[in-house]
Amino acid sequence: MPHEHDSTQSVLRALLYVGVFMLLGGGVFARYIGLEVARAQRWRLWYLVSGGFLLALGATLYGVYHLTWMLGDTSLLLSYLLETSQGHWLLLRMGLLLGLLLLSLGWFRLDRWLYPPLALGLLFTLTLTSHAAGGGLVQMLAGLLHLASGAVWGGSVLALAVAWPGSRYDAILRAIQRLSALGLGAVVLLSLMGLYLSWVRLGEVANLWSTAYGQRLLLKLGLVGLVVGLAAVNRLWLLPRLQEKRAKGLQTVSLEAALLLGVILASGFLATTEPPPPASQAAPRLINIAEVQGSRRYVGQLFSQGGLIHLYLDLRDAEGSLLEGGPSLRLQAQQGTQILQEARGPFYRSQYHLAFIAEAPGEWVVRLELPEKTLEYILSVAP
């Protein structure tokens, strides 16, 4: 059922976000914000950047493995990467991760000019595998700006929290001044894009507390409020004290970085939570199945999740107990001229799991062929 896989996908998405923010935060900080600090603390920043690369790459690879495991055949991993559009985007993401890591080694003289397009490309691959991909060009652009402003500002705060111990006072002051100026614009853009995306995905205010998506959004907003409040304290209280040489450390910046990690993790969990469907949406994303045939009952769920179509089905007797075995069932999914189909017996006693990779989002006609009859459903598939 959907909830059985939500936790793994949510954790992987959260770790992917943390890794990307670490990688980009270290890169942006070293090039544009804290150049002097970065030279003095290059090993600390290298640990941050390389750790972010490994975390993002590992989350991406394990995500593909987990997806093929849900399909029932992990040998499909290479085929998924090479033969599907989503796999192509994931390959591009891994290539961009490697390119950004190599730029961080300082081998290229033009890295200050190469870095921004590569970083935007990486963030674009995240946008294409998020809710924004199903909302059209405007939502995709808003999602990209939301991610970019968060990665530049939030990632730079993470880098500063890692690099400040042992750095020269004047170098830290210049870095704080640049980051403070950058943060003001980033927070405004982050807030505007976040409000727009929340509005189009929630549909109505009541969904804030009545749906899982709204509740996770409230948690994220609460953490964002704490981070913005602490950032204001650092700008209005810490920066003047640094300028007057009355501050001995950046403990409040470290606290801000810790809260930002909470925001990033919450964003990862939110990205894998289905928004409430629009009131006008005719096709559901989850269909409960309860079909009685004589003394036997087929019960389960047909649902879409992360670009996949899943069927979980149990064959039970009149008392509700699993039978010792069951017949082979055929599942077919069709959108336009594209037809996916598979016939499979139970994987355990009389329990079935069939799944397809849906190449395109939208409405799919799904037919389930039982021994006595064929059931037909319309299922909405999101990216």
Side-chain angles (χ1 to χ4, degrees), residues 330-371:
R330 179 178 295 275
L331 185 68
Q332 182 187 88
Q334 180 175 359
Q335 185 190 62
T337 59
Q338 184 179 7
I339 300 177
L340 309 172
Q341 57 184 348
E342 183 177 0
R344 184 178 296 184
F347 68 90
Y348 171 73
R349 295 178 66 183
S350 57
Q351 292 184 312
Y352 300 83
H353 175 215
L354 293 91
F356 298 129
I357 300 172
E359 282 290 332
E363 293 188 357
W364 286 72
V365 178
V366 182
R367 298 180 183 90
L368 172 60
E369 295 182 13
L370 304 176

Side-chain angles (χ1 to χ4, degrees), residues 95-178:
L96 290 169
L97 285 170
L98 182 60
L100 289 165
L101 179 70
L102 292 177
L103 283 181
S104 297
L105 294 174
W107 293 345
F108 304 95
R109 293 184 179 181
L110 298 177
D111 67 334
R112 285 173 59 89
W113 305 103
L114 290 174
Y115 198 87
L118 292 184
L120 281 174
L122 175 62
L123 295 175
F124 186 60
T125 66
L126 268 66
T127 304
L128 283 173
T129 54
S130 68
H131 298 311
L137 182 61
V138 175
Q139 283 194 43
M140 287 181 61
L141 179 59
L144 180 60
L145 291 175
H146 185 71
L147 266 178
S149 55
V152 169
W153 172 59
S156 296
V157 171
L158 294 179
L160 178 61
V162 168
W164 75 261
S167 298
R168 293 198 338 267
Y169 200 95
D170 57 338
I172 286 292
L173 176 59
R174 284 191 288 271
I176 286 280
Q177 288 172 330
R178 296 187 191 112

Side-chain angles (χ1 to χ4, degrees), residues 99-357:
L100 289 165
L101 179 70
L102 292 177
L103 283 181
S104 297
L105 294 174
W107 293 345
F108 304 95
R109 293 184 179 181
L110 298 177
D111 67 334
R112 285 173 59 89
W113 305 103
L114 290 174
Y115 198 87
L118 292 184
L120 281 174
L122 175 62
L123 295 175
F124 186 60
T125 66
L126 268 66
T127 304
L128 283 173
T129 54
S130 68
H131 298 311
L137 182 61
V138 175
Q139 283 194 43
M140 287 181 61
L141 179 59
L144 180 60
L145 291 175
H146 185 71
L147 266 178
S149 55
V152 169
W153 172 59
S156 296
V157 171
L158 294 179
L160 178 61
V162 168
W164 75 261
S167 298
R168 293 198 338 267
Y169 200 95
D170 57 338
I172 286 292
L173 176 59
R174 284 191 288 271
I176 286 280
Q177 288 172 330
R178 296 187 191 112
L179 185 56
S180 180
L182 170 70
L184 185 60
V187 168
V188 171
L189 184 60
L190 191 70
S191 302
L192 289 175
M193 296 300 101
L195 286 173
Y196 167 73
L197 292 171
S198 300
W199 174 68
V200 296
R201 290 172 190 167
L202 276 176
E204 54 185 75
V205 177
N207 286 329
L208 263 176
W209 49 83
S210 62
T211 65
Y213 183 87
Q215 292 162 6
R216 290 185 176 183
L217 178 60
L218 280 176
L219 173 62
K220 178 184 174 180
L221 291 176
L223 291 171
V224 169
L226 291 175
V227 170
V228 172
L230 193 54
V233 169
N234 288 333
R235 179 180 177 86
L236 300 176
W237 178 81
L238 178 62
L239 183 56
R241 288 175 66 86
L242 282 171
Q243 292 170 334
E244 297 170 6
K245 297 187 177 181
R246 291 190 293 122
K248 297 182 179 180
L250 301 185
Q251 287 80 7
T252 54
V253 172
S254 298
L255 178 58
E256 183 181 345
L259 289 173
L260 270 168
L261 281 176
V263 173
I264 298 168
L265 290 171
S267 299
F269 278 85
L270 187 65
T272 55
T273 305
E274 289 290 344
S280 59
Q281 179 174 300
R285 294 181 182 173
L286 185 147
I287 298 169
N288 292 308
I289 298 174
E291 181 69 20
V292 178
Q293 295 190 346
S295 61
R296 301 184 301 178
R297 293 186 299 146
Y298 291 93
V299 293
Q301 288 184 333
L302 174 69
F303 63 93
S304 67
Q305 186 179 58
L308 299 179
I309 296 173
H310 286 277
L311 172 70
Y312 281 92
L313 202 63
D314 294 348
L315 178 56
R316 299 180 178 271
D317 60 21
E319 286 73 35
S321 301
L322 282 173
L323 300 179
E324 288 303 319
S328 178
L329 303 182
R330 179 178 295 275
L331 185 68
Q332 182 187 88
Q334 180 175 359
Q335 185 190 62
T337 59
Q338 184 179 7
I339 300 177
L340 309 172
Q341 57 184 348
E342 183 177 0
R344 184 178 296 184
F347 68 90
Y348 171 73
R349 295 178 66 183
S350 57
Q351 292 184 312
Y352 300 83
H353 175 215
L354 293 91
F356 298 129
I357 300 172

